[in-house]
Amino acid sequence: MNKITLWSIIVALAGFLFGFDTVVISGADQQLQELWGSSDVFHGSVVMAMALWGTVIGAMFGGIPTNKIGRKKTLIWIGVLYTISAIGSAMVNDPYTFAAFRFIGGLGVGASTVAAPAYVSEIAPAKDRGRLVGFYQFNIVLGILIAFLSNYLLSNVGENAWRWMVGVEAIPAFIYTILVLTVPKSPRWLLLNGRREEASKTLALLNPGEDVEKIMNDIEESQSDHHSSNETIFMKKYRFPLILAFLIAFFNQLSGINAFLYYAPRIFQEAGLGESTALLSSIGIGVTNMVFTLIGISLIDKLGRKKLMYIGSVGYIISLSLVAMAFFFEWEGIAVPIFLFVFIASHAIGQGTVIWVFISEVFPDQLRAAGQSFGTSTHWVLAAIIPSMVPFLFSTIGPGTVFAIFAFMMVLQLLFVKFMMPETKGVPLEELEKLLTKKE
């Protein structure tokens, strides 16, 4: 395994902790509500959702440390936040302190969606960039699957099972923090900060046998075109990359993916499956998600980002329409789970694989962290709002209508892919910048 792949995998472990952290709470959900006697509203909005709001804040402001102290140091701090959150959540005795420690973990999740893809896209060669940044998404789904599995295995360790469920995350968090200490600093970040000598050493490691001086000059020339300290992603010339980052994140959540991941057992029960079948189906979701993410990652640099989004969009439209029809016409039994597995597969191979890669490619070096922060914040704000509306929408307009709305949004996504989305496969970051940025 070469150095770049190894470093990309280490940094992508932040994604494993993100996936694990997001799902691990589902295993402790009912135990905690009984233990603290919380009302549904308090339990949902404070105990369960606090990590999500931490994520929103982490994503909104994660660009600041990613730029100021650098990609690597930010990633180390993310590991520290995860470790503190896991140990703290496992030791507490009241819902408020529990929510506070979960919030700290959420900050780590949000910041990792900014720093990790930005770092990997900056060290990866153009031809492998999709696959290497894609490791982040693969680790997210691996984390989700391991969390489902870990909850299942720890569910019988007695009345304090929930402490083990949320606390066990400290082990991978600590290992990740130690491993991140071994990766080099991003050469593009070093050059932005005038540290040429360090950048040259890292670039020599990343590009053995190539003319490092020429690579540095290309990066610096591209950076100097935009390097005035008062530039922001909201300037007119960056409008196109900004719209691209917004729309890909917007459609990601309006497929209903997070609403579905959070409420999978509830949706399966609405469709007439028993409780144990519903729980088992959740592990099936984790496996499907992982297999199709692997397929997506293996294809992203061969077929390109747009083709994967086409495949995903068509899969979304078919599967969501069928789920909506199943609820409208009351098809019983196994139909809904099968359609939803097709939905998960479509998500994993399209949006799931593409989103973090694409957002990390469309902004110039000095605005990458801010752009990444904008795209991921859009994603996380919607990820907080849409799932919280699901129980209400199911009981008012019904699951059939909800899935029909998601299906319609995916028709709009297909139009976005066809008419607006550029293909970024194999294009060096410096050239992408020239293509996507308007000249003043």
Side-chain angles (χ1 to χ4, degrees):
M1 187 191 296
N2 70 9
K3 287 191 186 76
I4 299 179
T5 307
L6 179 67
W7 292 333
S8 301
I9 289 172
I10 288 173
V11 168
L13 285 174
F16 174 86
L17 294 165
F18 154 8
F20 193 95
D21 194 83
T22 310
V23 165
V24 77
I25 190 75
S26 67
D29 172 12
Q30 284 151 333
Q31 267 186 313
L32 291 176
Q33 189 168 4
E34 282 165 28
L35 178 70
W36 290 321
S38 316
S39 69
D40 284 352
V41 172
F42 179 83
H43 179 70
S45 59
V46 178
V47 178
M48 294 294 282
M50 201 41 90
L52 251 178
W53 292 111
T55 303
V56 170
I57 306 285
M60 280 180 175
F61 298 103
I64 298 169
T66 305
N67 265 346
K68 286 279 191 294
I69 62 172
R71 284 54 163 155
K72 177 180 171 173
K73 277 191 183 153
T74 305
L75 288 163
I76 294 167
W77 276 107
I78 286 166
V80 173
L81 290 174
Y82 277 130
T83 312
I84 292 171
S85 168
I87 295 170
S89 307
M91 312 274 284
V92 300
N93 289 312
D94 70 281
Y96 297 100
T97 327
F98 180 83
F101 277 114
R102 290 285 299 158
F103 180 80
I104 291 170
L107 292 174
V109 172
S112 84
T113 54
V114 178
Y119 177 88
V120 178
S121 78
E122 290 181 347
I123 66 164
K127 66 180 176 43
D128 299 323
R129 194 171 58 233
R131 182 174 61 86
L132 293 173
V133 180
F135 283 152
Y136 181 72
Q137 175 66 18
F138 170 71
N139 268 290
I140 295 173
V141 295
L142 180 64
I144 289 172
L145 182 61
I146 298 294
F148 276 135
L149 213 59
S150 156
N151 284 350
Y152 178 70
L153 295 173
L154 291 169
S155 59
N156 296 322
V157 297
E159 62 193 67
N160 280 333
W162 67 271
R163 293 189 190 275
W164 291 99
M165 285 178 185
V166 295
V168 76
E169 188 186 342
I171 301 166
F174 180 71
I175 294 170
Y176 160 77
T177 312
I178 300 302
L179 287 174
V180 171
L181 294 168
T182 66
V183 305
K185 291 182 172 139
S186 157
R188 284 184 163 80
W189 180 80
L190 290 168
L191 286 172
L192 272 177
N193 288 276
R195 290 154 68 169
R196 267 195 118 220
E197 209 168 299
E198 284 178 74
S200 138
K201 284 179 190 158
T202 307
L203 283 166
L205 287 173
L206 294 171
N207 306 279
E210 289 187 44
D211 181 351
V212 170
E213 198 57 39
K214 182 184 180 309
I215 297 172
M216 287 211 296
N217 290 338
D218 287 350
I219 295 172
E220 284 178 323
E221 184 191 334
S222 153
Q223 289 178 347
S224 67
D225 286 351
H226 305 280
H227 199 41
S228 72
S229 55
N230 54 6
E231 285 218 327
T232 75
I233 51 167
F234 299 106
M235 293 170 72
K236 197 172 171 190
K237 62 176 167 177
Y238 301 122
R239 187 169 295 162
F240 188 51
L242 197 71
I243 291 171
L244 291 174
F246 174 80
L247 285 176
I248 198 159
F250 175 81
F251 285 125
N252 183 291
Q253 285 303 303
L254 279 152
S255 66
I257 182 66
N258 268 36
F260 175 57
L261 284 177
Y262 290 174
Y263 296 109
R266 183 187 294 229
I267 292 169
F268 287 143
Q269 281 173 318
E270 290 254 355
L273 290 186
E275 200 171 324
S276 56
T277 332
L279 206 67
L280 211 67
S281 301
S282 305
I283 294 181
I285 291 161
V287 175
T288 310
N289 206 348
M290 198 167 90
V291 169
F292 281 89
T293 299
L294 271 176
I295 295 171
I297 291 169
S298 65
L299 294 175
I300 190 166
D301 288 320
K302 295 189 184 94
L303 295 182
R305 288 51 161 161
K306 275 188 86 143
K307 282 227 177 77
L308 290 187
M309 288 291 285
Y310 275 130
I311 295 167
S313 300
V314 172
Y316 271 148
I317 294 164
I318 293 169
S319 57
L320 286 165
S321 303
L322 286 169
V323 172
M325 285 160 69
F327 279 112
F328 283 134
F329 302 121
E330 296 179 358
W331 300 342
E332 278 296 311
I334 204 73
V336 172
I338 289 174
F339 302 150
L340 283 168
F341 278 109
V342 175
F343 166 71
I344 286 289
S346 311
H347 173 80
I349 206 165
Q351 268 278 13
T353 300
V354 173
I355 179 170
W356 309 114
V357 176
F358 189 72
I359 295 175
S360 74
E361 294 175 321
V362 295
F363 292 98
D365 285 356
Q366 71 282 8
L367 294 173
R368 181 163 299 111
Q372 189 83 19
S373 186
F374 172 79
T376 54
S377 300
T378 306
H379 171 277
W380 284 116
V381 169
L382 289 168
I385 294 169
I386 294 172
S388 61
M389 290 166 64
V390 162
F392 169 72
L393 291 173
F394 272 15
S395 61
T396 48
I397 59 174
T401 314
V402 172
F403 283 106
I405 293 168
F406 290 146
F408 171 70
M409 295 314 284
M410 292 304 94
V411 175
L412 298 183
Q413 173 175 283
L414 189 61
L415 297 173
F416 157 70
V417 176
K418 171 114 181 76
F419 295 110
M420 276 185 79
M421 185 179 172
E423 180 53 78
T424 55
K425 174 185 84 162
V427 186
L429 292 176
E430 282 64 43
E431 277 178 44
L432 274 177
E433 190 176 322
K434 290 182 184 131
L435 291 171
L436 300 179
T437 306
K438 262 216 169 99
K439 287 282 171 273
E440 291 288 83

